[in-house]
Amino acid sequence: MNVTIVRDHDPEATRQILAVLPDWFGIPEANEHYVRAAAEKASYLARVDNTTVGVALLDRHFPMTGEIHLIAVTPQAHGSGVGSALLAAIEADLVADGAHLLEVKTVGASFADEGYAATRAFYQARGFLPLEEFEGLDWDGPTLIMVKPLT
Ligand SMILES: CC(C)(COP(=O)(O)OP(=O)(O)OC[C@H]1O[C@@H](n2cnc3c(N)ncnc32)[C@H](O)[C@@H]1OP(=O)(O)O)[C@@H](O)C(=O)NCCC(=O)NCCS
């Protein structure tokens, strides 16, 4: 698969990708939040033949660190390196900008869910380490904070 990563905003594609990932993004209000964020936050798009197949949004809470606010790839493209390419582009930009650590929050393993087990496997395969799990941080269940040293 020939994937190109671009820095651009595509809220409509973000909406469409989230809509076909109901096992991860099943709360309409939360999805609307992400669609608005897709217009405002630093946004990376994965394109195949001019179609957006993946999106990642980045937060910079502090100059030395970054946080993946959202990463989502359309199901047909899962396992084809699209998520890795999005991460690689973000990490290269963060390193060039002097950041040392990348954070992501995801659903913790104490909530049994096949989809999020695959999500954690992806982050782990790309070098993220589990840091701490919190209950009730941004939803009723467990949130796992993962971090990746960049330099
Ligand atoms: C998580 C996600 C962004 C990963 O993107 P992707 O394009 O599917 O991932 P890649 O093809 O780059 O996979 C990279 C590595 O992650 C691991 N991985 C990916 N999917 C996996 C799965 N289902 N099970 C186990 N490991 C997996 C593999 O080690 C893979 O490396 P390999 O292909 O060399 O074996 C994508 O699957 C997705 O959109 N998932 C649903 C939404 C989601 O989980 N978002 C994050 C919420 S916190």
Side-chain angles (χ1 to χ4, degrees):
M1 190 176 286
N2 202 355
V3 188
T4 307
I5 306 296
V6 294
R7 281 282 307 263
D8 203 352
H9 300 275
D10 195 342
E12 196 43 46
T14 303
R15 183 195 304 282
Q16 286 168 17
I17 291 169
L18 299 183
V20 291
L21 293 169
D23 292 344
W24 288 268
F25 302 101
I27 303 168
E29 307 83 64
N31 290 1
E32 279 312 308
H33 157 87
Y34 284 126
V35 171
R36 281 196 301 278
E40 292 160 8
K41 292 182 186 285
S43 168
Y44 293 73
L45 305 175
R47 294 226 172 101
V48 175
D49 298 333
N50 274 336
T51 300
T52 300
V53 299
V55 58
L57 305 178
L58 177 67
D59 274 328
R60 295 295 297 277
H61 306 298
F62 300 98
M64 306 290 273
T65 56
E67 178 182 4
I68 302 285
H69 181 75
L70 169 74
I71 185 165
V73 171
T74 198
Q76 294 91 328
H78 282 185
S80 309
V82 175
S84 298
L86 284 165
L87 270 185
I90 284 177
E91 290 171 15
D93 282 357
L94 284 171
V95 168
D97 198 39
H100 295 283
L101 197 70
L102 180 57
E103 174 198 10
V104 70
K105 297 191 190 86
T106 190
V107 171
S110 60
F111 179 82
D113 181 89
E114 216 174 278
Y116 277 101
T119 301
R120 289 189 301 274
F122 164 74
Y123 291 131
Q124 206 166 326
R126 293 284 74 94
F128 284 82
L129 309 170
L131 187 69
E132 195 167 0
E133 196 176 287
F134 291 94
E135 279 295 323
L137 189 63
D138 47 9
W139 70 299
D140 287 344
T143 294
L144 175 66
I145 295 179
M146 302 185 83
V147 290
K148 177 174 181 174
L150 297 176
T151 51

